Amino acid sequence: SCVGDIRQVGLAAGIELVANRETKAPFDSALRIGMKVCLAARKYGVFLRPLGDVIVLMPPLTTTEGELTQIVDSISKGISEVCPNA
């Protein structure tokens, strides 16, 4: 419910986190939601980089399907833990 948009080119992707999915209203920057999601994903073995409230993914071309699944699952769990009503 807090993913406003996902942008992708090749394996590079950005997951934009928003306070309101319908209006795309951003979270208050002081909440650091992007950083909190990245820290939550670390518990599942994935280190991510936020740019504000956009989670940036740039896996190497040699990333396996299993590794991509782990990355996506970790992000999903991190978002569920951090975002209200996710």
Side-chain angles (χ1 to χ4, degrees):
S1 65
C2 66
V3 174
D5 192 19
I6 298 175
R7 295 177 291 281
Q8 175 193 359
V9 175
L11 283 181
I15 302 169
E16 180 183 18
L17 304 173
V18 295
N20 184 312
R21 187 176 188 161
E22 291 181 22
T23 66
K24 307 282 195 233
F27 285 104
D28 179 351
S29 60
L31 295 175
R32 298 183 55 154
I33 297 296
M35 178 57 77
K36 289 177 182 176
V37 168
C38 289
L39 292 174
R42 285 186 189 181
K43 294 187 288 187
Y44 305 104
V46 175
F47 285 77
L48 298 168
R49 177 181 151 216
L51 288 175
D53 286 337
V54 177
I55 307 301
V56 177
L57 302 171
M58 293 179 65
L61 294 175
T62 58
T63 304
T64 66
E65 185 175 342
E67 291 167 335
L68 288 174
T69 298
Q70 180 184 8
I71 292 168
V72 171
D73 289 347
S74 297
I75 294 169
S76 178
K77 290 175 185 176
I79 289 171
S80 294
E81 289 179 18
V82 173
C83 292
N85 304 318

